[in-house]
Amino acid sequence: MKTLRAVSDSNLAPSGRPSEIVSSQMGGPAMPRKEILDQIQKYIHPFRVTNGKGFQLKDFDPGDTRGLKMDKGEAADLLQRGTQWLAEEQDMLYAQDRWSLLLVFQAMDAAGKDSTIKHVMSGVNPQGCQVFSFKQPSQEDLDHDFMWRYVKRLPERGRIGIFNRSYYEEVLVVRVHEDILKRQKLPQRFMSKRIWDERLADIAHFEDYLTRQGVVILKFFLNVSREEQKKRFMKRLDNAEKNWKFSPSDIHERKFWHDYMRSFEDAIRVTASAQAPWYVVPADNRWFTRLVVAAAIVEAVEQLDLAYPKLGAEQKKELAAARAELAREA
């Protein structure tokens, strides 16, 4: 049987799932899973977009915390519970070998993609999780269709795949900087004004196809304000230990802020669906960003009703024979 890690029998419910209690390793009280799910819905559903009709970014406040107030310790405790829960679900995802999970992260610079991925996925087993950060395309990439290099990195069954930037770059940065499009060697007849609508339609169809193959897709746009981005850039410039994070291109890209916002808006409007939802996550408060992302992932995998595979009579017989053989060893 595939398994990423051992789970104590005392933590398993009769169904083979982890017990319906999520406890805190930091001293907090235990809480039933259903109660947690009911509570987190109000913190994730306002940011989930499943139908892009009429979608506008201005309707989403980058500083929103849904009235939730807590200190860093409380936020860390709550996030730790979520990562613990996710780790349990990941183990069953791997063992069941039926579903895969694709997490797409898109954002402007300094919105916190890297740190969010680091904190939210801190508890999962690295053997069952792959992170890919897509940079500038290579010459080989440019000699293929625009989806080629992303398709190669899709997660296999039982695994979690994380795209730190993704195929959405092809309708974001490529759209804002059309000189990049010219390097993609498309026949001239396909370089029409309709190319962005066509690419968005292709992406929507592609995601629909993936969901019918057992790939659960969650897409996160970390919605940072222009003002907060400036503050974070200034911190990188003023703190010598963070200078390495800053690139002169960051300032250059700020000049295209409004172009990027229009491109993000179009992408979300066209590709949001119930099967592959977007989460427009407030990103001005890092602690809240991480909680929303973790909660959205936990809710999604919980809906899969994952469980460890049940052994048949023949398999149990084989295990009994193996146990007897080991017991006979001197």
Side-chain angles (χ1 to χ4, degrees):
M1 181 192 302
K2 290 177 63 179
T3 184
L4 283 169
R5 62 183 178 84
V7 178
S8 170
D9 289 342
S10 63
N11 291 330
L12 293 180
S15 62
R17 292 177 55 78
S19 63
E20 294 302 308
I21 298 293
V22 177
S23 61
S24 169
Q25 295 176 359
M26 300 177 68
M31 186 181 295
R33 283 175 177 255
K34 186 179 185 305
E35 183 178 339
I36 295 177
L37 285 172
D38 290 342
Q39 287 190 13
I40 66 176
Q41 285 181 356
K42 65 180 179 181
Y43 296 114
I44 57 177
H45 287 198
F47 310 118
R48 182 164 64 191
V49 183
T50 58
N51 185 341
K53 185 177 181 181
F55 172 78
Q56 292 183 303
L57 269 177
K58 67 178 184 179
D59 296 332
F60 293 81
D61 178 8
D64 191 5
T65 61
R66 306 304 294 172
L68 185 64
K69 297 180 180 180
M70 58 176 61
D71 59 33
K72 288 186 178 180
E74 292 173 321
D77 183 31
L78 190 56
L79 181 61
Q80 186 274 333
R81 296 189 195 205
T83 58
Q84 177 189 350
W85 191 344
L86 180 58
E88 293 175 348
E89 295 288 340
Q90 180 206 15
D91 197 56
M92 290 184 289
L93 178 79
Y94 188 83
Q96 195 178 72
D97 201 24
R98 294 284 184 181
W99 298 90
S100 61
L101 185 63
L102 175 62
L103 308 178
V104 171
F105 288 86
Q106 293 288 160
M108 295 294 286
D109 293 321
K113 295 192 311 300
D114 294 351
S115 64
T116 298
I117 293 170
K118 174 184 176 181
H119 284 82
V120 172
M121 307 306 292
S122 61
V124 302
N125 191 310
Q127 292 184 73
C129 183
Q130 300 165 307
V131 182
F132 296 101
S133 182
F134 294 96
K135 305 298 184 181
Q136 292 186 5
S138 67
Q139 189 58 52
E140 182 182 20
D141 295 330
L142 293 172
D143 280 332
H144 290 81
D145 64 276
F146 80 91
M147 291 292 293
W148 181 74
R149 64 175 178 151
Y150 308 102
V151 173
K152 292 193 304 178
R153 302 304 186 188
L154 290 171
E156 61 189 85
R157 298 193 192 283
R159 295 183 182 272
I160 299 173
I162 299 173
F163 283 4
N164 185 348
R165 300 190 187 276
S166 69
Y167 42 84
Y168 280 97
E169 293 293 286
E170 306 295 333
V171 291
L172 295 170
V173 65
V174 178
R175 184 173 185 173
V176 172
H177 300 290
E178 292 196 22
D179 57 304
I180 301 176
L181 181 65
K182 296 176 182 178
R183 298 201 295 268
Q184 295 187 347
K185 303 179 182 180
L186 281 172
Q188 192 60 39
R189 71 175 68 174
F190 300 120
M191 299 277 283
S192 71
K193 293 181 179 180
R194 298 180 59 245
I195 189 170
W196 309 118
D197 292 334
E198 291 168 347
R199 283 196 171 185
L200 286 170
D202 290 338
I203 289 173
H205 289 308
F206 174 68
E207 291 179 342
D208 181 55
Y209 160 77
L210 288 181
T211 59
R212 288 184 280 107
Q213 308 309 309
V215 182
V216 177
I217 304 174
L218 302 179
K219 300 171 292 190
F220 300 97
F221 170 56
L222 304 193
N223 186 25
V224 69
S225 67
R226 198 165 189 265
E227 295 73 23
E228 179 63 23
Q229 186 196 57
K230 178 181 177 179
K231 291 179 183 178
R232 294 180 185 181
F233 281 165
M234 292 298 289
K235 286 183 179 179
R236 292 179 181 182
L237 291 168
D238 295 340
N239 186 336
E241 293 182 355
K242 293 186 177 181
N243 285 171
W244 65 273
K245 289 186 175 183
F246 187 82
S247 168
S249 64
D250 294 337
I251 298 300
H252 177 71
E253 289 301 289
R254 266 179 71 83
K255 299 175 183 178
F256 302 96
W257 181 276
H258 297 296
D259 293 330
Y260 274 112
M261 292 302 104
R262 284 193 292 269
S263 297
F264 274 116
E265 196 169 75
D266 285 348
I268 295 171
R269 184 181 296 129
V270 175
T271 64
S273 68
Q275 294 75 28
W278 275 100
Y279 292 85
V280 183
V281 184
D284 280 7
N285 296 284
R286 288 189 177 91
W287 64 270
F288 190 71
T289 304
R290 296 164 187 169
L291 289 180
V292 171
V293 171
I297 298 171
V298 165
E299 183 188 50
V301 294
E302 182 70 16
Q303 290 176 353
L304 299 179
D305 197 27
L306 299 171
Y308 289 103
K310 294 182 178 180
L311 299 183
E314 188 61 32
Q315 291 173 305
K316 290 181 179 180
K317 184 177 180 181
E318 291 175 356
L319 291 181
R323 188 182 189 286
E325 183 175 346
L326 286 172
R328 287 194 296 269
E329 288 185 3

